[in-house]
Amino acid sequence: MTHTNDHELDTWRDQWSSVAAPPAEFQRKIQQRIKRQERRFLLGNLLTVIVFLGMLIFAVLMRHQSPWMGPNWSTGICVLVFIAAGCRLWVMRRTWRPETQSTRAFVELWHRRVAARIRLLRISIYLSLGWIIFCAALTAANWATIGQDVKAHPAEWVALLVVCVLMQYPMIWFAAVWLRRRKQAELTEVRKILDEMDGKS
Amino acid sequence: VSEHRQALEARFAHILTDYGAAIARLAFSYEAVASVREELVQEIALAIWQALAQFRGDCSERTFVYRIAHNRGLTHVSRRRSPQPPLPIEDLEEADQPVDPRPHPEEQAARTGQRAQLMSAIQSLPVTHRQMIVLALEGLSHAEIAEVMGITENNVAVRLTRIRKSLKDSLGERP
């Protein structure tokens, strides 16, 4: 521990230096955690690729199996995937690896990142509303064909409607609102830290 | 790739050996609960590992480690739902018995008490003040603290004086 002519600081430094030691088996535990994290990273990437390819295959299959709505559905899914990926990349731009920066830069970036997340949530809500409108328009456009099927199997269509619209969308809506509230709280916390750094509090 | 990975692993092991104790102390200022603190220490080490491959020496290794550690500490504090009160002194004494070879038990007890008071006082400071005093206690110069925190040296000097006064007042108030 460095000693100076400042007696008070030296005393505190002496006390501070004996405060804590690294936890037992520190290095071994870290190595295990790194391996776990690398496995998760690989699996996560693999899963993303599988989901993306799965959606493309699903879209192609729909195109061949349901001629009355296949092209619209497959186009819709592809457009949705690309818009979602594009929005994510756009919103998260310049927000990678911030931890090696100074505290000030880190907190400012953190602030931008949380604000971006809140923006992304708002866009997701609009996007999901757009998706509902798109589905409704698609159904209306193909009502001549769908209508006959609805009249033939009304119970199945009601069940589908309940699951898709009345259950799924409120759940997505509440999850988005809950997440937004959490992010707003985080934003307040980050602003507090920024104010503290500026000496405002 | 293998050689590069080995070199990275060797450098990482070297960093953990050199700064392991400092990281543990630093985690102490952000988290009072021992089990959560251990988790935080691991998170900091993991963040260092993740950033190490991109480290090109644009700052000293020391600055690099402290920046990551403090930024991760800040994230940890913000994730907590409610503010954590400083750990009671009795708990600190139980949780962190010193490894002190001094032969006099009374002196050892007094030192333990002083250390616990200092820790408790540091934990009760606002988070950025805590960060600054911890860096000073780790022996960083004003220039290094300024580099870690991204503020000017003058600013560091002015604020440290204020923080030290507040820490001194806080220690004076304690029994």
Side-chain angles (χ1 to χ4, degrees):
Chain A
M1 194 56 55
T2 323
H3 280 261
T4 60
N5 292 328
D6 189 335
H7 177 68
E8 183 187 63
L9 193 61
D10 286 342
T11 311
W12 286 347
R13 277 180 180 165
D14 279 342
Q15 291 169 6
W16 173 254
S17 63
S18 58
V19 156
E25 298 183 303
F26 177 51
Q27 295 219 13
R28 192 181 58 81
K29 283 182 180 172
I30 299 295
Q31 295 300 343
Q32 281 177 347
R33 203 160 162 171
I34 287 171
K35 278 186 187 143
R36 267 206 309 275
Q37 201 248 354
E38 283 174 348
R39 265 200 303 270
R40 266 206 303 269
F41 177 72
L42 270 175
L43 278 174
N45 282 346
L46 201 68
L47 204 70
T48 310
V49 171
I50 288 171
V51 168
F52 185 71
L53 286 178
M55 283 187 83
L56 283 181
I57 290 168
F58 177 71
V60 171
L61 282 179
M62 286 290 285
R63 193 180 159 84
H64 286 101
Q65 286 183 1
S66 308
W68 49 274
M69 60 194 314
N72 298 326
W73 271 105
S74 53
T75 312
I77 287 173
C78 286
V79 167
L80 192 71
V81 166
F82 281 108
I83 288 178
C87 282
R88 183 165 171 78
L89 285 175
W90 173 256
V91 169
M92 303 310 290
R93 70 196 189 284
R94 289 164 51 209
T95 57
W96 285 279
R97 287 196 300 275
E99 280 179 330
T100 51
Q101 298 183 6
S102 68
T103 309
R104 168 111 225 162
F106 172 73
V107 177
E108 281 171 355
L109 197 59
W110 185 7
H111 183 268
R112 281 208 299 276
R113 177 178 272 185
V114 179
R117 290 240 183 232
I118 291 171
R119 248 193 339 265
L120 183 67
L121 267 170
R122 203 181 304 136
I123 293 171
S124 315
I125 290 171
Y126 292 145
L127 212 62
S128 69
L129 284 175
W131 181 246
I132 294 175
I133 293 166
F134 173 75
C135 289
L138 195 67
T139 311
N142 294 289
W143 186 248
T145 325
I146 300 171
Q148 289 171 4
D149 200 42
V150 172
K151 280 170 195 158
H153 312 283
E156 286 172 22
W157 278 93
V158 168
L160 190 72
L161 196 74
V162 167
V163 170
C164 284
V165 179
L166 299 180
M167 283 174 73
Q168 219 173 39
Y169 279 102
M171 271 168 66
I172 293 171
W173 182 269
F174 279 118
V177 169
W178 172 77
L179 206 60
R180 191 163 189 268
R181 199 170 294 160
R182 262 189 59 180
K183 288 290 155 194
Q184 287 286 6
E186 195 179 338
L187 193 68
T188 313
E189 188 70 31
V190 180
R191 278 192 185 136
K192 205 175 106 189
I193 295 172
L194 272 175
D195 285 349
E196 233 176 76
M197 293 196 86
D198 291 336
K200 289 180 190 166
S201 61
Chain B
V1 172
S2 170
E3 269 178 30
H4 178 66
R5 167 99 191 186
Q6 276 177 1
L8 264 185
E9 281 177 353
R11 192 171 188 189
F12 182 59
H14 174 73
I15 286 177
L16 289 189
T17 310
D18 284 1
Y19 298 101
I23 293 170
R25 286 194 292 270
L26 197 141
F28 214 111
S29 69
Y30 286 107
E31 180 56 59
V33 181
S35 58
V36 187
R37 192 166 58 240
E38 193 176 331
E39 185 71 17
L40 175 61
V41 171
Q42 286 185 21
E43 272 182 26
I44 293 170
L46 195 65
I48 292 172
W49 165 253
Q50 284 167 341
L52 199 57
Q54 277 82 41
F55 180 52
R56 298 280 174 268
D58 46 351
C59 60
S60 70
E61 196 175 80
R62 197 181 196 196
T63 304
F64 170 76
V65 169
Y66 281 117
R67 273 180 177 177
I68 293 177
H70 276 292
N71 289 339
R72 193 41 74 105
L74 270 182
T75 316
H76 176 79
V77 170
S78 80
R79 273 188 201 152
R80 268 200 308 250
R81 285 176 179 238
S82 53
Q84 194 179 38
L87 204 62
I89 287 170
E90 299 75 29
D91 288 356
L92 267 173
E93 285 171 351
E94 270 178 35
D96 293 276
Q97 286 295 328
V99 186
D100 195 342
R102 280 167 203 275
H104 307 294
E106 281 175 14
E107 193 186 336
Q108 198 169 311
R111 280 175 62 87
T112 306
Q114 284 167 352
R115 199 185 58 236
Q117 281 185 347
L118 178 69
M119 273 317 303
S120 190
I122 288 174
Q123 284 176 343
S124 63
L125 289 171
V127 71
T128 51
H129 294 187
R130 214 183 304 171
Q131 198 172 10
M132 205 175 275
I133 192 74
V134 164
L135 290 172
L137 292 177
E138 284 296 334
L140 272 76
S141 66
H142 286 186
E144 284 173 313
I145 296 175
E147 205 183 356
V148 171
M149 297 201 67
I151 53 179
T152 62
E153 266 186 73
N154 277 346
N155 214 330
V156 171
V158 171
R159 285 194 203 182
L160 259 183
T161 310
R162 226 181 291 157
I163 295 166
R164 280 179 61 173
K165 189 183 174 303
S166 125
L167 193 61
K168 211 167 148 183
D169 290 347
S170 177
L171 285 170
E173 283 169 13
R174 284 161 204 269

